[in-house]
Amino acid sequence: MAKTAPASVKTPPGVDFEHSLDELEQLVARMEGGELSLDESLASFERGIGLFRHCQQSLQQAELRVRLLLDPDAPDSAEPFEPEL
């Protein structure tokens, strides 16, 4: 049976997002370099799509959290905070 890490040791979501985004940027740079074989390019593209979807999902979850904080009773009608100038 696989052991799971205690909650206190778990990677914070922001760090996971940052790591995924960094890896995605590195993949793009390698692919743009044009020195990968077709198989390496396809594998990199597939990995990149997975990373992109993970980052997109993380951003959507963060947006939902912000909406809930702005208006917990009606998160869909929450308006962004705009500071007074």
Side-chain angles (χ1 to χ4, degrees):
M1 187 156 115
K3 292 182 180 180
T4 57
S8 61
V9 180
K10 233 179 189 181
T11 304
V15 172
D16 189 41
F17 171 80
E18 294 296 331
H19 176 74
S20 295
L21 185 59
D22 184 51
E23 185 180 345
L24 181 58
E25 290 172 345
Q26 291 175 20
L27 270 174
V28 169
R30 283 197 307 265
M31 291 176 70
E32 288 178 342
E35 296 185 18
L36 298 177
S37 69
L38 178 59
D39 287 338
E40 291 171 327
S41 293
L42 287 172
S44 294
F45 180 75
E46 184 176 9
R47 176 69 179 148
I49 292 296
L51 290 167
F52 169 78
R53 288 179 179 157
H54 172 75
C55 288
Q56 188 177 36
Q57 182 181 25
S58 295
L59 289 172
Q60 288 171 342
Q61 289 174 352
E63 181 182 7
L64 178 58
R65 288 179 65 193
V66 168
R67 286 179 179 269
L68 287 170
L69 289 169
L70 289 173
D71 191 352
D73 295 326
D76 289 335
S77 65
E79 295 183 18
F81 173 75
E82 304 219 9
E84 294 180 22
L85 298 177

